Amino acid sequence: AAGGEILVVESSRMGGTGELLLTGCIGDVMQESARAALTWIRSHTTQLKLDVGPDDNLLKLTDVHVHFPAGATRKDGPSAGLSVLVALASLFTGRLARADTAMSGELTLRGSVLPVGGVKEKVLAAHRSGLRRVILPARNEPDLVDVSPQAQRELSFVFVSTAEGCLREALEPEQESLEARAGEADGNDEGVGAHASLPVHLLARHLASRL
C-alpha cells in the first residue's frame, strides 16, 4: 500500500427477487465481503428489529445495490466488510450512519471482526479528511503505535470485535435518525422519490489502502 484514502460506500434497495448488485471497480475479495455483510444482516433481522414480513419477504422481494464510486481506481481486499455492513444496516433500519466516522475491518459470517493491514495509512487518511472518529478491529489497537501523536490526539478511536459492536458505534440513535430524515424531507423541494442527492444515511465511509 502506498498511502490511504476514504472510499464512500453507497447502498440502495428496490423491489426484486433478493439479488445483490455490486458496482464499481472492485475485485473478487471485496465482492465476497459485501455478500458476507448482507448474509449477516439477513441472519440477524430480529436483532436489528426489521419487520421482514411473512416468509422473509422484506429481503426475498428486495434487490440491494451496493456501489463503490471512483470506479476508475480498482479496489479490493476484505477490509470493506464493516463499511458495507454499516451501509446495509443503515439502509434497512433507517438509522443514519455517523458522518464523522470512517471504518476499516474484515467481517466474518458469524459477525467477528478481523484485523486489517495498513492501519497507519488509513488513519492518516481519516485525519487528512477532517473526520473525528475511526472504527477499527480490536486486534489492530497495537498498530496505533505507528500513528503520529498529533493524529492520535485529534482522532477518537473505537475498537470493535463484533458486528454488533460496530453498528452500535457507527449508527446514530433511532430518534436522531428520524429527526434528521424529517429535516431532509422538509428541505427537499423535489419531494420523496425524486432524483435528489443521496441521503447521508445510505452512506458509509471506508478507510482503504491505496494500491
Side-chain angles (χ1 to χ4, degrees):
E5 60 185 336
I6 304 292
L7 299 180
V8 174
V9 182
E10 300 177 343
S11 63
S12 185
R13 64 177 182 172
M14 63 220 81
T17 58
E19 293 187 12
L20 174 62
L21 175 64
L22 302 171
T23 54
C25 189
I26 59 176
D28 292 341
V29 176
M30 189 172 282
Q31 294 182 40
E32 292 168 0
S33 296
R35 293 189 180 96
L38 181 59
T39 295
W40 190 91
I41 295 286
R42 295 190 67 172
S43 61
H44 290 79
T45 55
T46 301
Q47 183 176 340
L48 294 172
K49 301 179 181 178
L50 300 182
D51 182 11
V52 297
D55 300 321
D56 193 22
N57 282 341
L58 172 67
L59 296 173
K60 286 183 178 178
L61 301 180
T62 300
D63 286 350
V64 177
H65 186 175
V66 178
H67 179 58
F68 299 83
T73 303
R74 182 171 177 81
K75 300 165 284 290
D76 203 5
S79 64
L82 288 189
S83 304
V84 177
L85 172 72
V86 170
L88 293 176
S90 176
L91 179 67
F92 282 107
T93 65
R95 293 172 59 188
L96 299 173
R98 289 189 54 156
D100 63 349
T101 301
M103 63 210 73
S104 185
E106 180 178 355
L107 179 71
T108 72
L109 288 176
R110 299 181 64 182
S112 297
V113 178
L114 303 183
V116 295
V119 169
K120 174 184 176 181
E121 293 79 10
K122 294 173 180 179
V123 168
L124 292 180
H127 188 241
R128 287 195 307 268
S129 299
L131 296 170
R132 297 200 303 267
R133 296 173 79 245
V134 174
I135 297 175
L136 292 170
R139 288 166 58 185
N140 279 122
E141 185 170 3
D143 295 323
L144 287 191
V145 68
D146 297 323
V147 177
S148 70
Q150 181 181 359
Q152 291 195 47
R153 287 194 305 269
E154 297 177 359
L155 289 170
S156 174
F157 295 93
V158 179
F159 297 98
V160 298
S161 56
T162 64
E164 295 92 337
C166 177
L167 294 180
R168 279 196 302 270
E169 297 293 341
L171 297 178
E172 295 281 11
E174 186 172 358
Q175 184 58 39
E176 292 184 20
S177 297
L178 289 173
E179 292 172 356
R181 293 176 70 190
E184 280 182 354
D186 291 341
N188 181 7
D189 294 335
E190 299 181 53
V192 176
H195 295 286
S197 59
L198 192 70
V200 68
H201 70 278
L202 302 185
L203 304 178
R205 290 162 180 80
H206 167 52
L207 289 171
S209 296
R210 187 178 298 119
L211 301 179

